[in-house]
Amino acid sequence: MNIPGWIQLVLFLGVLCLLTKPVGLLLSRVLDPEGRTPFDPVLKPIERLLYRLLGVDPKAEQTWKQYAFSLFAFSLVGLLFTYAVLRLQHILPLNPQKLGPVPPDLAFNTAVSFSTNTNWQNYAGESTLSYFSQMVGLAFHNFASAAAGIAVAAALVRGIARRSAKTLGSFWADLVRVNLYLLLPICLVLSLVLVSQGVIQNFQPARQAALIEPAGTVATQTIPQGPAASQIAIKMLGTNGGGFFNANAAHPYENPTPFSNFLQMLAIFLIPAGLTYYLGTSVKNRRHGWAVWTAMAVLFLAGVFVCWRAESVGNPRLTALGLDSAGGNMEGKEVRFGIFNSSLFATVTTDASCGAVNAMHDSFTPLGGLVPLFNMQLGEVVFGGVGAGLYGILVFVVLAVFLTGLMVGRTPEYLGKKIEGYDVKVAVLTLLILIFSILGFAAWGAVSRPGLAGLGNKGPHGLSEILYAFSSATGNNGSAFGGLSGNSPWYNVTLGLAMFLGRFFMIVPVLALAGSLGRKKLLPPSEASFPVGGTMFIIILIGTIVIVGALTYLPALALGPIVEHFTMSGSALVY
Amino acid sequence: MIAKTHSLFDRRIIGPAVIDSFRKLNPVFLLKNPVIFVTEVGAALCTLAVAFRGAGEAPGFIFQIALWLWFTVLFANFAEAMAEGRGKAQADELRKARTRTQASLLQADGSVRIVAAEELRKGDFIVVVAREVIPADGEIVEGAATVDESAITGESAPVIREAGGDRSAVTGGTRVLSDRIKVRVTANPGESFLDRMIGLVEGAHRQRTPNEIALTILLAALTIIFLVVVISLRPFGTYSGVSLTVTVLVALLVCLIPTTIGGLLNAIGIAGIDRMVQKNVLAMSGRAVEAAGDVDVLLLDKTGTITLGDRQASAFIPAPEVTVEDLANAAQLASLADETPEGRSIVVLAKKYGFRGRTISEMPGAVFIPFSAQTRMSGLDFEGRRIRKGAAVAIQGFTGKPIAVEVQDAVSYISLSGGTPLLVADGSNVLGAIHLKDIVKGGLRDRFERFRAMGIKTVMITGDNRLTAAAIAREAGVDDFVAEAKPEDKLTLIRREQTAGHLVAMTGDGTNDAPALAQADVGMAMNTGTQAAKEAGNMVDLDSNPTKLIEVVEIGKQMLITRGALTTFSIANDVAKYFAIIPALLVGVFPVIAPLNIMGLRSPQSAILSAVIFNALIIVALIPLALRGVKFRPLGAAALLRRNLLIYGLGGLIAPFPGIKIVDIIVNALHLV
């Protein structure tokens, strides 16, 4: 833990804090169908055209069921479309490498992965997918699934803010407006800046280069090309995380400079942070928005500290053998980024449901790897995925308010909305789905032949790999402990199911919660209202998230990273 | 008082409660309480495991775990049985009033037939005479009587019940002391007020309140979550080479699921109603008690609630050239035979000027002139003097002369300050004014202050004019008032507040209060009130003291706080239990994990047993808190939250660490494992 690291951390959080308000204000306008944005002169006609093509009336508001149905139908059509593109890529254009069709289980996994904003990649982009598949089949989801997540968050916020209302807005208007006025403009700017840093953007076939120092019989290297920059921008901004190249953000064509690295991490947190401000403005309680932001920031810093410290200390066994110098644990890390930027990136990408990586999480120390794993198991609510982070943490807010709200001597109430049986039911349902999927699939994997076959390591670390895979899939993160080979029929199907459950089975109860809250009367605020701003609330929210998370996953984690940590630090065993 | 406050651990309650806790082991009964039901299933599994145990497991250990799991269930049952027992004890007292009585049924032809009380039906007419027990709930249609209602209210002073008006209701089981009344029966046998009271305090058909239902859902969900955690731990263990037996897994499960709050939840609810009963308030449902905690607007009648029912003379203001003594003397003479509280207060005030109370009988020839609606004056004709007191207009008519400017000023001053002016005249001379004042009950200002801090708005409602109302409102310290209100206005006001999202509580006794009582979220009817009022409200105050609404709100809040505090405590406890059990599970296969055993528990088996024992004992330790309730403090939400979170959240996090450690030391000292 060194001075440059501290400076970069302060800079990162500081810039994020400064950008929260402007992004939040932009979100307020984008998510209001009547709202004006700076891009209206150019994009308004396109917006109208899109409504006409979709055949929807943007002013027609939907109930929670209609909203959920629209979202579900839209995502399902997108999923099937991508499946078709992947299976048929050999007869579709833009395939200079002449790649064949993607096998059915892998196509299923990949289609689910992208339509759920997960971007778990059981394929290697450059050797499996054509440019057409990448740009049309996948990139489309990077926009659509991100916009859908933001739409759900907006619907929930509307439910909280409205009184005695039956509707939550129009999914179609939200989808179109978020894409046009939020994602496209920012991505355009971001990809240009990334190109300026050296991220490639072309349609050329892969190049063959002669090795300067031939390794045995290998004398040439294949250097992939392609339209990377445009993909990278939305991959980060939309917390998708699917790399253009297999090495993801560790690849020099995807993430060439420290500045591009900084920008990419910032892009991940940009919209999730702005959404907290949007929450504050919508419910007319800015303090609440900032309280949620602060709770997230505290959890974020805690993660960074643990991970950074664990990686800086490195493996004491190797140090004792004189194998590791003062640099800490550099295995699996880019020398360009070093310990701090790898730890920070790992924390950011798993706090959010991004899943882009600039270092190999599998090679982190046990505690360093525990941080990304635990982040995902908490439900990725620390800023979180675009939209998904906000609605995830709001579910925790509802539970925290219910748990502690009674202690003020009233029926628990959140921003004037009484939390009743139905709300508790749908809120805990989201937790249950998460837990069932993560622990259920992982437990199955840990004792089944196909589950064990994919492991790259034995012992506690192997268990960590399985846990990581299903936590990542269920949380729609997409990053992996790379030691696990996920491209087998069993993993393709189970991970695909986990992603599906983690996305749509979460969204339905969240929208039900939004509908229920929206229908309620609003109790006027008074001295007796539960305080949802300030230190007390922040502590309660953090406490609820950590305790619920810890209580749920501690036993499994104890057998994985925790035992591994004690084995590394407390025994003479060398891995 | 029917509501004898039973000491927390009354032997007569504990005995039956112990037996009840075994009776409640019936799984069909426990199914309603998912947390305890799962614990019972776990206990049964462990009991079976004693017989069908795996290799290498000590039967003594399994047996002890099973035993303590059964204790956990029994302790939870015991908490509930204790709460019910306290109610039953009170119900028994009430039952004594429900002795078999006979009734004089009035036949259509006017004759009277003696029947058993059980034969009476709604709409029958009965006659009750002195020293008879009223056989059924009813309404007096003819006559008036003094009635001893101590069987219901505990108040020994007899009350007057008469036909017509707001005091016509009589309750079955009370005794007529004098006179004869004709009563129309208003309740069939088994549906009477007394029957309902017995049912309520016994908690026989207690329905879960909305908040309890929500909490039960959460507790059930947590139970399912921990079931998944524990069940999935077995395959994870298999992978890691750690074999986890059923006993150990069940022990972990029971320690994690919120047994503390799960075991005490019912007891808290029953105890809430019970606390109301101890205050002589009958809540018709737990829902009403809960609503009392949520109330944020108190609608208070001025008369009886904020002020003493009657006005009191507070000053004499003499006319020019009249001494205050002369005025006091005349005022006292005019009030000697006036038995109204106002009249008596004038006599008392005059005593301060040296005039002893005289009686008319000592004064030959004195004639008392009672108040009449026509003259609107009362007074005394005595030794040729004609002394009168009354409202300014009436006195002016009596004297036939314009009133002096100074006296007029006094009259307007008294009105402005919220009082009622009375003038005293001797023949054609106006002697001065009496200041009759509404006396605000003591201690109210402080209470309203506390309510304000808790975010509760107090609204006074009165028929007085604005000026008078404002003056009293200021003196009593209420937040708002409605002047010149008609009884119907209450309903409008409640609706308006409710539309704005508020929850309103009010008291009432008259039939015209009934719609408002029904509309209010908490409607507390006075026991002296009409049957209609009692049926419309969701609470009845047996002492008929409207100020008690304030205590009702406090009890409601106290019940919610107790529930929240124990929930938080229960969940926070889990952290320590993890630190006891997880290392114990793993240390056999992974000795390196020993540093996680931060409590330094002796052996894996003693660690698990200690956690289970602690988990069971904490239920017993918290029974008094559940029954008595967390001490209520009138603070704002933020302050209350901080305080309770510190005690029950942080306390719940820390307390089990030393707790489990102590149990572990004892377990080892006794060589239990």
Side-chain angles (χ1 to χ4, degrees):
Chain A
M1 295 175 99
N2 49 16
I3 301 288
W6 287 105
I7 294 173
Q8 289 179 74
L9 185 59
V10 170
L11 195 68
F12 178 74
L13 204 60
V15 173
L16 183 71
C17 185
L18 287 179
L19 288 174
T20 298
K21 185 176 173 180
V23 175
L25 289 176
L26 178 62
L27 274 163
S28 306
R29 292 173 175 213
V30 171
L31 292 169
D32 171 10
E34 312 280 310
R36 291 169 176 276
T37 70
F39 319 112
D40 277 5
V42 190
L43 297 176
K44 202 78 192 171
I46 305 178
E47 188 190 351
R48 288 202 198 97
L49 184 70
L50 283 171
Y51 289 145
R52 205 168 310 149
L53 286 176
L54 287 166
V56 295
D57 172 8
K59 289 193 186 68
E61 293 238 331
Q62 297 173 304
T63 63
W64 82 262
K65 283 179 187 157
Q66 292 166 330
Y67 202 100
F69 181 79
S70 300
L71 185 146
F72 193 71
F74 173 78
S75 304
L76 201 66
V77 168
L79 195 159
L80 294 174
F81 168 77
T82 301
Y83 184 81
V85 167
L86 296 180
R87 296 287 291 139
L88 300 172
Q89 70 170 355
H90 54 294
I91 52 172
L92 290 166
L94 280 177
N95 187 3
Q97 302 287 105
K98 306 274 177 256
L99 296 165
V102 181
D105 56 318
L106 182 58
F108 163 74
N109 184 285
T110 307
V112 173
S113 170
F114 277 76
S115 57
T116 57
N117 196 254
T118 311
N119 299 24
W120 174 275
Q121 293 167 297
N122 269 348
Y123 62 91
E126 52 272 52
S127 58
T128 319
L129 299 187
S130 70
Y131 294 159
F132 184 87
S133 294
Q134 292 245 24
M135 289 182 71
V136 180
L138 302 186
F140 145 75
H141 282 297
N142 284 354
F143 281 92
S145 69
I150 296 173
V152 173
L156 179 56
V157 170
R158 287 180 196 131
I160 297 166
R162 291 179 177 183
R163 57 193 287 180
S164 313
K166 288 197 176 69
T167 58
L168 300 170
S170 158
F171 170 72
W172 303 109
D174 289 338
L175 181 72
V176 167
R177 289 183 60 86
V178 167
N179 271 314
L180 282 184
Y181 297 109
L182 184 74
L183 299 178
L184 273 177
I186 301 181
C187 277
L188 199 66
V189 176
L190 187 61
S191 47
L192 286 176
V193 178
L194 288 176
V195 167
S196 82
Q197 293 298 303
V199 179
I200 60 166
Q201 177 79 8
N202 59 45
F203 287 99
Q204 294 161 9
R207 294 208 187 154
Q208 301 297 319
L211 288 182
I212 299 168
E213 206 177 334
T217 54
V218 182
T220 59
Q221 182 186 6
T222 308
I223 301 178
Q225 299 292 312
S230 57
Q231 293 249 42
I232 308 310
I234 186 62
K235 148 192 158 192
M236 297 303 183
L237 189 72
T239 63
N240 293 287
F244 192 84
F245 305 108
N246 197 29
N248 211 307
H251 196 289
Y253 278 174
E254 275 204 44
N255 190 6
T257 66
F259 182 59
S260 71
N261 191 55
F262 182 85
L263 271 186
Q264 292 188 14
M265 290 189 294
L266 200 60
I268 297 174
F269 273 1
L270 190 67
I271 295 176
L275 276 168
T276 62
Y277 193 86
Y278 166 70
L279 168 73
T281 3
S282 300
V283 301
K284 300 196 175 54
N285 187 340
R286 297 246 162 83
R287 260 168 66 82
H288 177 54
W290 281 112
V292 172
W293 191 95
T294 312
M296 290 172 161
V298 170
L299 286 167
F300 159 70
L301 286 175
V304 173
F305 289 151
V306 173
C307 186
W308 185 17
R309 160 126 192 108
E311 294 311 298
S312 305
V313 170
N315 184 338
R317 296 291 130 218
L318 293 180
T319 315
L321 291 172
L323 288 177
D324 202 15
S325 53
N329 174 32
M330 278 302 288
E331 184 194 308
K333 293 191 179 62
E334 261 283 356
V335 184
R336 291 179 295 141
F337 303 128
I339 301 283
F340 173 75
N341 269 308
S342 303
S343 311
L344 181 63
F345 202 109
T347 311
V348 168
T349 197
T350 50
D351 275 343
S353 72
C354 182
V357 291
N358 76 350
M360 297 304 118
H361 294 181
D362 202 18
S363 300
F364 278 28
T365 57
L367 288 189
L370 174 69
V371 169
L373 179 55
F374 193 55
N375 277 340
M376 294 186 301
Q377 292 175 335
L378 290 182
E380 289 159 347
V381 293
V382 182
F383 296 103
V386 283
L390 186 71
Y391 65 68
I393 203 163
L394 287 178
V395 167
F396 273 112
V397 168
V398 166
L399 287 177
V401 167
F402 183 78
L403 275 174
T404 57
L406 279 171
M407 284 194 291
V408 307
R410 275 179 129 189
T411 298
E413 136 227 5
Y414 170 46
L415 288 166
K417 299 287 178 83
K418 271 194 180 182
I419 308 295
E420 292 161 301
Y422 182 83
D423 312 295
V424 173
K425 201 185 296 175
V426 287
V428 288
L429 198 57
T430 62
L431 284 188
L432 275 175
I433 287 160
L434 212 68
I435 290 161
F436 261 111
S437 177
I438 294 179
L439 290 180
F441 280 120
W444 183 12
V447 288
S448 69
R449 194 186 301 270
L452 294 171
L455 292 185
N457 290 275
K458 297 275 172 273
H461 196 75
L463 189 64
S464 301
E465 286 176 352
I466 301 180
L467 273 174
Y468 197 101
F470 288 103
S471 302
S472 172
T474 307
N476 297 141
N477 185 283
S479 70
F481 266 12
L484 182 104
S485 331
N487 190 8
S488 71
W490 189 84
Y491 274 109
N492 275 331
V493 173
T494 51
L495 288 170
L497 288 174
M499 290 186 274
F500 196 86
L501 287 174
R503 175 79 171 184
F504 299 109
F505 280 59
M506 278 283 279
I507 283 177
V508 173
V510 165
L511 285 174
L513 179 65
S516 162
L517 290 175
R519 278 192 300 273
K520 287 178 200 285
K521 285 196 293 187
L522 204 63
L523 307 179
S526 74
E527 275 297 311
S529 308
F530 188 88
V532 289
T535 321
M536 206 66 219
F537 173 74
I538 295 169
I539 292 172
I540 291 172
L541 181 54
I542 294 174
T544 307
I545 294 171
V546 172
I547 290 186
V548 170
L551 292 181
T552 311
Y553 298 105
L554 197 69
L557 292 175
L559 284 165
I562 294 175
V563 157
E564 195 187 353
H565 168 77
F566 281 108
T567 310
M568 181 184 84
S569 61
S571 77
L573 209 65
V574 179
Y575 290 88
Chain B
M1 299 278 280
I2 50 147
K4 287 197 187 123
T5 36
H6 296 277
S7 89
L8 209 48
F9 290 103
D10 190 324
R11 193 171 305 207
R12 278 165 304 168
I13 297 176
I14 290 190
V18 170
I19 298 166
D20 260 7
S21 22
F22 282 93
R23 201 175 46 79
K24 284 172 187 277
L25 285 177
N26 180 355
V28 179
F29 175 84
L30 279 182
L31 210 51
K32 277 181 285 180
N33 188 341
V35 181
I36 301 303
F37 177 74
V38 169
T39 310
E40 187 177 40
V41 172
L45 277 177
C46 282
T47 313
L48 287 178
V50 178
F52 307 99
R53 62 180 185 279
E57 262 200 308
F61 171 71
I62 309 176
F63 176 75
Q64 289 185 66
I65 294 281
L67 193 66
W68 280 101
L69 294 182
W70 284 114
F71 275 140
T72 311
V73 181
L74 284 172
F75 291 161
N77 289 348
F78 178 68
E80 194 178 303
M82 279 288 288
E84 285 172 352
R86 286 153 68 84
K88 276 198 191 107
Q90 281 169 353
D92 287 343
E93 312 252 339
L94 285 172
R95 277 208 187 85
K96 288 180 191 157
R98 204 177 56 176
T99 43
R100 290 177 61 86
T101 46
Q102 303 219 305
S104 312
L105 180 66
L106 208 55
Q107 311 277 68
D109 59 2
S111 65
V112 166
R113 189 162 64 91
I114 304 296
V115 297
E118 294 84 66
E119 288 174 38
L120 294 177
R121 289 292 176 275
K122 225 181 204 171
D124 285 350
F125 287 93
I126 51 172
V127 174
V128 192
V129 296
R131 283 185 300 281
E132 276 184 4
V133 171
I134 299 173
D137 286 3
E139 198 163 13
I140 302 177
V141 288
E142 218 177 278
T146 48
V147 180
D148 172 12
E149 294 196 336
S150 58
I152 306 281
T153 64
E155 181 61 56
S156 55
V159 292
I160 293 173
R161 293 278 178 261
E162 57 192 348
D166 287 345
R167 284 162 195 258
S168 61
V170 288
T171 312
T174 58
R175 187 179 289 273
V176 173
L177 293 179
S178 69
D179 304 290
R180 175 183 188 275
I181 44 175
K182 188 173 151 191
V183 175
R184 188 168 51 83
V185 175
T186 52
N188 291 328
E191 299 166 8
S192 73
F193 188 64
L194 198 61
D195 292 314
R196 277 208 317 218
M197 264 176 83
I198 292 170
L200 280 169
V201 293
E202 246 180 356
H205 305 289
R206 206 174 74 85
Q207 297 213 313
R208 282 170 186 266
T209 63
N211 183 260
E212 254 179 311
I213 293 170
L215 195 54
T216 307
I217 292 172
L218 181 75
L219 297 182
L222 284 174
T223 307
I224 298 173
I225 287 177
F226 289 124
L227 261 173
V228 176
V229 169
V230 168
I231 292 173
S232 69
L233 194 56
R234 201 170 156 113
F236 290 141
T238 308
Y239 170 92
S240 312
V242 180
S243 71
L244 300 162
T245 61
V246 171
T247 317
V248 163
L249 288 177
V250 169
L252 177 62
L253 176 66
V254 172
C255 283
L256 293 181
I257 59 177
T259 45
T260 315
I261 180 66
L264 295 173
L265 188 60
N266 278 338
I268 295 171
I270 298 169
I273 295 188
D274 188 53
R275 271 199 297 282
M276 289 280 194
V277 174
Q278 286 181 24
K279 296 268 179 200
N280 258 2
V281 175
L282 277 187
M284 296 302 167
S285 66
R287 189 185 279 253
V289 184
E290 200 171 278
D294 282 342
V295 156
D296 59 353
V297 173
L298 292 189
L299 198 58
L300 303 167
D301 265 326
K302 184 202 79 175
T303 310
T305 310
I306 292 177
T307 62
L308 296 171
D310 320 298
R311 292 155 202 241
Q312 310 266 307
S314 71
F316 295 120
I317 306 174
E321 291 153 30
V322 177
T323 64
V324 72
E325 284 78 13
D326 284 346
L327 173 60
N329 187 20
Q332 195 187 43
L333 286 172
S335 311
L336 280 179
D338 182 355
E339 279 303 314
T340 63
E342 286 90 348
R344 267 181 269 138
S345 79
I346 294 171
V347 174
V348 170
L349 185 66
K351 283 182 185 170
K352 292 190 183 151
Y353 294 93
F355 301 99
R356 62 176 186 89
R358 293 151 281 189
T359 53
I360 293 193
S361 52
E362 302 172 7
M363 300 184 282
V367 179
F368 175 62
I369 311 294
F371 180 86
S372 80
Q374 281 80 39
T375 60
R376 297 170 65 200
M377 290 183 299
S378 62
L380 191 73
D381 287 353
F382 169 59
E383 292 172 354
R385 292 166 72 185
R386 295 171 69 221
I387 304 170
R388 295 287 183 276
K389 68 171 199 293
V393 188
I395 292 293
Q396 191 174 358
F398 174 72
T399 59
K401 285 198 295 191
I403 294 168
V405 181
E406 288 84 349
V407 177
Q408 278 183 11
D409 286 347
V411 166
S412 25
Y413 164 76
I414 294 169
S415 300
L416 280 177
S417 66
T420 309
L422 284 185
L423 292 191
V424 181
D426 186 351
S428 58
N429 295 326
V430 173
L431 298 179
I434 307 172
H435 188 163
L436 286 183
K437 205 171 166 184
D438 268 317
I439 304 295
V440 172
K441 287 184 177 176
L444 279 186
R445 181 171 267 281
D446 283 350
R447 274 198 148 158
F448 293 152
E449 193 69 48
R450 281 161 47 179
F451 273 106
R452 203 163 302 123
M454 284 155 55
I456 296 174
K457 189 169 83 167
T458 43
V459 181
M460 182 184 83
I461 188 155
T462 171
D464 294 345
N465 64 50
R466 277 196 66 79
L467 286 173
T468 310
I472 295 168
R474 205 173 323 118
E475 191 179 343
V478 293
D479 295 310
D480 201 356
F481 66 90
V482 181
E484 289 161 6
K486 296 181 288 299
E488 313 82 270
D489 292 346
K490 281 187 187 171
L491 185 62
T492 324
L493 185 67
I494 291 174
R495 289 228 172 97
R496 198 177 68 209
E497 295 286 351
Q498 285 175 334
T499 315
H502 295 286
L503 276 94
V504 186
M506 70 163 286
T507 60
D509 53 4
T511 300
N512 53 20
D513 283 335
L517 280 171
Q519 178 72 33
D521 300 282
V522 172
M524 188 169 82
M526 301 294 101
N527 191 43
T528 52
T530 59
Q531 199 65 33
K534 284 201 244 179
E535 260 158 32
N538 49 15
M539 287 184 191
V540 176
D541 179 21
L542 300 174
D543 297 340
S544 303
N545 170 13
T547 319
K548 211 184 274 170
L549 196 52
I550 294 168
E551 280 154 58
V552 165
V553 170
E554 292 185 350
I555 293 173
K557 286 199 176 292
Q558 190 187 28
M559 185 178 77
L560 292 172
I561 292 175
T562 308
R563 217 179 265 159
L566 291 182
T567 307
T568 309
F569 186 86
S570 190
I571 293 171
N573 265 207
D574 279 4
V575 176
K577 292 178 200 158
Y578 260 140
F579 276 100
I581 296 185
I582 296 283
L585 296 184
L586 306 186
V587 78
V589 178
F590 301 103
V592 287
I593 210 165
L596 265 189
N597 178 11
I598 54 172
M599 282 173 270
L601 305 177
R602 186 71 73 81
S603 70
Q605 290 195 331
S606 83
I608 294 169
L609 184 61
S610 303
V612 171
I613 293 176
F614 176 84
N615 190 52
L617 290 180
I618 196 78
I619 296 180
V620 180
L622 291 173
I623 289 177
L625 186 70
L627 295 187
R628 217 183 278 134
V630 170
K631 193 165 162 29
F632 177 76
R633 283 180 176 71
L635 298 170
L640 262 180
L641 185 63
R642 192 174 316 120
R643 194 193 150 75
N644 288 326
L645 206 60
L646 212 61
I647 299 176
Y648 300 100
L650 194 62
L653 212 57
I654 296 169
F657 284 99
I660 294 175
K661 176 71 185 169
I662 292 169
V663 176
D664 182 69
I665 292 171
I666 297 170
V667 163
N668 283 294
L670 298 177
H671 300 290
L672 292 180
V673 287

